[in-house]
Structure formats: C-alpha cells, structure tokens
Amino acid sequence: MNAQPEEKKKTILSAAQPSGILTIGNYLGAIRNWALLQERYDCYFCVADLHAITVRQVPADLRRRTYETLAIYIACGLDPEKNHLFVQSQVPEHAQLAWILDCYTQFGELSRMTQFKDKSQKHADNINAGLFTYPTLMAADILLYQADLVPVGQDQMQHIELTRDIATRFNNIYGPTFTVPEGFIPKTGARVMSLADPTKKMSKSDENPRAWVSILDPRDVVIKKFRSAVTDSGCEVRRGEDKPGINNLIAIYCAFTGKTPEDAEKEFEGKGYGDFKAAVGEAAADALDPIRTEYARLTADKGYLEALMKQGKEAAQRRAGRTLFKVMRKVGFAQTDGK
Ligand code: TYM
C-alpha cells in the first residue's frame, strides 16, 4: 500500500508587544492557544518590538522585555524546536512590506481603527504617524509569512479584518500574492477584563497594577489581586447583564479550570463573592506557578535566548524574504538578485 504524502501544514503567525510584562489576558486570549495549535501548524511567533515604539519606551526596558517576552513564550509551552520564535525588528522585511502596504491602505480605513482611537486619547501628547499606520505593520507581519490563521484575543480582530481587506485588494490588482488569513479567537478568555474596572479590557500598560495579573506575579500576589477585584452589587455568583465584574471572574475561572459557566455557578451556589474570588485566585495561581518557575530558569541563560533569536531570525527571513521579493516584483521595483 502506498503511504499517503504528508499534508503540508498550514501556517500560523501571531505576536505580542514587549511593552509591559504580559498579563493573564495575553495568556488566555492568545499565548495559551498558540501552544495548543503548535503541533498542527507551521508556526511563527514574533516579539513585536517595532509595534511597541508607537508609545514612548525606555530603551533599556524595551530591550530587557524583549528577552523576557521570548522567555515567557517558551515558559507558556511554545517549543522552540517546533516553532519559529523571533524578534520583529531583527527581520527588516516587516518594515519594508509595511511601507508598501501603507500605499494600498486608505486613510479612512486606518481612522476607523478602535485601537488607534483609544491610544490617541490615552497618549494625546504623542499621536504619531506610527500609531496611525500600526495596522499596516501588523498586516505586513501576517502577510509576509502567508499565514492561514492568526490566533489572537478579541481586541485584534478588527486589525485582522483590515489585513484581509488589504490582502484581497493587493491580490485583485496584481494577481494571487498573499494568503488571505483567518482570525481565530478562543471560546473562553478572548476578552479578559480589568480587575479594577471590568468594563475595560485588562491591559499590560494599565498604570493601576491592581487592574491586571501578570503571568509572572508570585502566587500570593495573584491571590491578593483576585481578592481585591471589583465586583458588582449583590452577592450571588451568577452571570448577568449588569454584572461585568462577576461575568469577568466567571470567564477567568472557566478559562483556567476548563469548567463551564453553568458548572461554576452551581459550584458556588449559596456561597459569597469572597469564596469565589479566593477560588479564582487559586485556579489562576495553580496555572501560573509552573510558568514562573520555567521562566526563571530560561532568563538565567541569556546566551540561550540569544541563540534562539538568531535561529528564529534566519527562519523568519527565509520565508519573509520570498514574499517580499514577489511583492516588489509585482509592484514594479527593479531587482537584480533572484529569490
Ligand atoms: P498585544 O501585545 O496587545 O497582545 C498580545 C495578544 O494578547 C491578546 N490580548 C488579550 N486577550 C484577551 N484579553 C485581554 N485582556 C487581552 N489583552 C491582549 C491580544 O489580542 C493579542 O492577541 N497588535 C498586537 C500584536 C501584533 C500582532 C501582529 C498580533 C503585532 N503584529 C500580527 C497578531 C498578528 C498587539 O498589540 O497585541
């Protein structure tokens, strides 16, 4: 009997910005899913440092957090032998393709991006052009690798929709060039809300440290932060339209334990918010303990992380270079070296 040829794996690309220590929002919304998908896809995971400078960064902090973010990826379960892990600024093709895509993206489209509107309100003294064109850089990240799937949290779906529009537009003008990617969000944890204000997304750049739980917070801090999470009036552990605090905590509890919201409500019937918040804290801390231990081991060896960066950069450039070459030829740039 003839062996079936192994089907070519589809490609994934995703990324996180090293603009702060990653939170359980980043973990539940994105990184945990990346780890679940890594066996079935050819995966490129990037530390998006070019994106991070759309907001002013302290250079030494940005550099340190780039290493830390890479270590967090691995500590969260991404196998560096099976995935291509790399740093965005080390692959210049991202910035090159972003410029080209800028010329195929409308001002109106970028003006409608929610993240641009939010961030320009938050950083009113620095509404720079990079903040505005951020989504075309993100489109370049994705399209360079001909990614089929982009696993992200809910907040990034609008950017992926725009990426699809840009890819389709380019393909319509020049013929098939880019794979049009699909966004992919998890069933639970796609939008983890702030613990201090559950009507707002949990964000690593929130100045109030009680608003977020970092992937690296020690156990007692995790438990304490959940204990002081803002809840709603009433005392029943039950979801409701006017209960953003409890809805958020139930979602986090379910994401960490694999239970359904109905199960969670039943489990805490007759119990108060205090008991429930303690249980959510314990569940989160149990999941984060091994990640923190592995992270400490990895960051102790900077040489290892640097070797991985180098390896990731080479693999990323091989793939990205091919796409960029094709795009440049189609657009009409004179090229003297073939790919
Ligand atoms: P960033 O760095 O804000 O977040 C990284 C990933 O975490 C998800 N996420 C959340 N999910 C659930 N609840 C939350 N509170 C939460 N906060 C963040 C994000 O949706 C994201 O998936 N622009 C991107 C980074 C990026 C990128 C890309 C992503 C750059 N290039 C190409 C995908 C493909 C960003 O700022 O993510």
Side-chain angles (χ1 to χ4, degrees):
M1 206 167 68
N2 287 340
Q4 291 292 324
E6 208 178 297
E7 217 179 292
K8 195 172 169 288
K9 280 185 177 173
K10 291 194 167 187
T11 302
I12 276 183
L13 176 122
S14 203
Q17 294 187 63
S19 50
I21 291 188
L22 301 191
T23 68
I24 56 166
N26 299 122
Y27 177 66
L28 296 175
I31 304 171
R32 183 170 77 156
N33 260 328
W34 303 352
L36 292 173
L37 295 163
Q38 65 184 330
E39 301 292 341
R40 284 185 288 134
Y41 289 82
D42 185 18
C43 296
Y44 292 82
F45 296 118
C46 153
V47 180
D49 56 348
L50 294 177
H51 279 93
I53 64 162
T54 52
V55 171
R56 203 67 75 228
Q57 302 287 333
V58 175
D61 290 351
L62 178 60
R63 198 169 296 116
R64 178 177 41 77
R65 281 199 304 258
T66 300
Y67 285 87
E68 288 172 357
T69 303
L70 182 65
I72 288 181
Y73 285 0
I74 303 166
C76 288
L78 298 181
D79 182 340
E81 298 305 322
K82 290 192 182 142
N83 302 288
H84 307 295
L85 308 178
F86 67 99
V87 177
Q88 187 185 28
S89 65
Q90 295 178 0
V91 181
E93 285 80 357
H94 289 245
Q96 286 174 278
L97 182 61
W99 168 253
I100 297 174
L101 297 183
D102 275 342
C103 303
Y104 295 83
T105 308
Q106 297 302 304
F107 182 87
E109 290 178 305
L110 293 173
S111 311
R112 285 194 286 277
M113 294 294 113
T114 315
Q115 186 169 313
F116 170 68
K117 290 190 218 162
D118 287 352
K119 285 207 173 171
S120 42
Q121 245 178 23
K122 224 165 127 192
H123 304 278
D125 57 337
N126 183 21
I127 307 177
N128 59 70
L131 199 59
F132 188 64
T133 59
Y134 177 114
T136 52
L137 177 58
M138 185 163 153
D141 299 342
I142 297 167
L143 300 179
L144 272 177
Y145 299 88
Q146 307 288 359
D148 299 281
L149 199 71
V150 189
V152 285
Q154 177 71 54
D155 64 320
Q156 295 301 318
M157 284 304 275
Q158 194 186 30
H159 291 157
I160 294 172
E161 280 306 317
L162 179 62
T163 302
R164 291 170 56 84
D165 291 345
I166 297 170
T168 306
R169 181 174 306 146
F170 197 97
N171 289 349
N172 286 341
I173 302 172
Y174 297 103
T177 309
F178 295 123
T179 302
V180 179
E182 301 278 345
F184 177 76
I185 58 169
K187 278 209 184 82
T188 48
R191 189 168 175 80
V192 176
M193 308 306 277
S194 154
L195 298 188
D197 175 359
T199 61
K200 266 177 36 189
K201 187 191 75 161
M202 182 182 286
S203 163
K204 54 181 158 339
S205 51
D206 199 315
E207 277 158 22
N208 177 2
R210 282 171 175 254
W212 42 263
V213 173
S214 140
I215 294 178
L216 301 176
D217 276 339
R219 188 175 185 91
D220 57 325
V221 174
V222 174
I223 290 171
K224 206 154 103 199
K225 283 187 177 175
F226 277 107
R227 203 181 299 133
S228 63
V230 168
T231 36
D232 322 289
S233 56
C235 55
E236 255 186 301
V237 179
R238 191 160 286 281
R239 290 160 298 160
E241 260 180 36
D242 52 347
K243 297 177 78 175
I246 280 296
N247 292 346
N248 187 36
L249 291 176
I250 290 181
I252 294 174
Y253 184 66
C254 292
F256 275 119
T257 58
K259 293 179 183 168
T260 64
E262 291 75 20
D263 285 345
E265 287 172 350
K266 219 176 275 163
E267 186 180 347
F268 291 95
E269 223 165 50
K271 294 189 183 151
Y273 286 167
D275 287 341
F276 179 54
K277 288 202 270 187
V280 186
E282 293 285 338
D286 285 349
L288 299 177
D289 277 348
I291 296 176
R292 210 175 47 255
T293 311
E294 179 63 1
Y295 171 84
R297 195 183 67 78
L298 288 161
T299 42
D301 190 353
K302 200 172 169 193
Y304 171 68
L305 294 175
E306 275 172 355
L308 283 183
M309 280 181 191
K310 233 170 153 182
Q311 184 183 312
K313 167 193 153 124
E314 280 163 18
Q317 270 196 304
R318 266 197 303 279
R319 180 79 168 247
R322 276 204 299 274
T323 304
L324 184 66
F325 184 84
K326 187 155 99 175
V327 169
M328 290 174 77
R329 182 162 42 82
K330 293 205 173 195
V331 168
F333 295 145
Q335 283 160 304
T336 52
D337 56 340
K339 284 260 160 150

